[in-house]
């Protein structure tokens, strides 16, 4: 399953022809607010109990150029290609 980085195994190849429509339907069913056509520009972190934890993300709407600030307990990056924009960082998860 690992694609493009067989040594470190940071990325997974998932074909979107069946997975993406199923994920979209489930998120819509659950009432999750989705922001499409939004480019992630930075992750927001905070130090809690001496550990760095993720608290959200910054994004930009690619149609309007408007910057968005997302506060969250969990952040999922969904990108078109595994381009190593952010590598997995165990300190960021807060686990």
């Amino acid at each position: 399953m690992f694609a493009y980085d067989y040594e470190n195994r940071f990325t997974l190849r998932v074909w979107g022809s069946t997975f993406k429509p199923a994920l979209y339907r489930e998120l819509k069913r659950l009432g999750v607010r989705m922001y499409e056509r939004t480019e992630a520009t930075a992750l927001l972190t905070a130090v809690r109990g001496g550990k760095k934890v993720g608290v959200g993300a910054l994004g930009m709407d690619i149609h309007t150029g408007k910057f968005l600030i997302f506060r969250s307990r969990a952040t999922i990056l969904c990108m078109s290609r595994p381009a190593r924009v952010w590598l997995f960082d165990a300190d960021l998860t807060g686990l």
Side-chain angles (χ1 to χ4, degrees), residues 78-95:
C78 300
M79 297 179 279
S80 64
R81 299 183 196 281
R84 287 185 167 208
V85 175
W86 283 287
L87 297 179
F88 178 78
D89 181 355
D91 292 336
L92 189 61
T93 63
L95 298 176

Side-chain angles (χ1 to χ4, degrees), residues 34-90:
M34 294 176 274
Y35 293 86
E36 297 187 47
R37 306 293 185 246
T38 302
E39 177 183 334
T41 59
L43 292 176
L44 301 175
T45 61
V47 177
R48 293 187 183 149
K51 295 181 93 176
K52 187 191 301 186
V53 296
V55 295
L58 295 178
M60 183 182 76
D61 184 307
I62 62 170
H63 291 287
T64 65
K66 180 180 176 181
F67 273 93
L68 303 166
I69 301 170
F70 301 97
R71 292 185 311 168
S72 65
R73 290 182 286 171
T75 302
I76 301 171
L77 295 176
C78 300
M79 297 179 279
S80 64
R81 299 183 196 281
R84 287 185 167 208
V85 175
W86 283 287
L87 297 179
F88 178 78
D89 181 355

Side-chain angles (χ1 to χ4, degrees), residues 6-38:
Y6 297 102
E7 183 179 334
N8 298 310
R9 299 183 178 186
F10 286 131
T11 58
L12 290 174
R13 182 186 321 216
V14 178
W15 296 109
S17 59
T18 56
F19 179 75
K20 288 178 185 176
L23 179 62
Y24 176 81
R25 284 191 303 273
E26 183 64 11
L27 291 173
K28 193 169 183 177
R29 185 186 73 79
L30 293 172
V32 174
R33 189 182 322 172
M34 294 176 274
Y35 293 86
E36 297 187 47
R37 306 293 185 246
T38 302

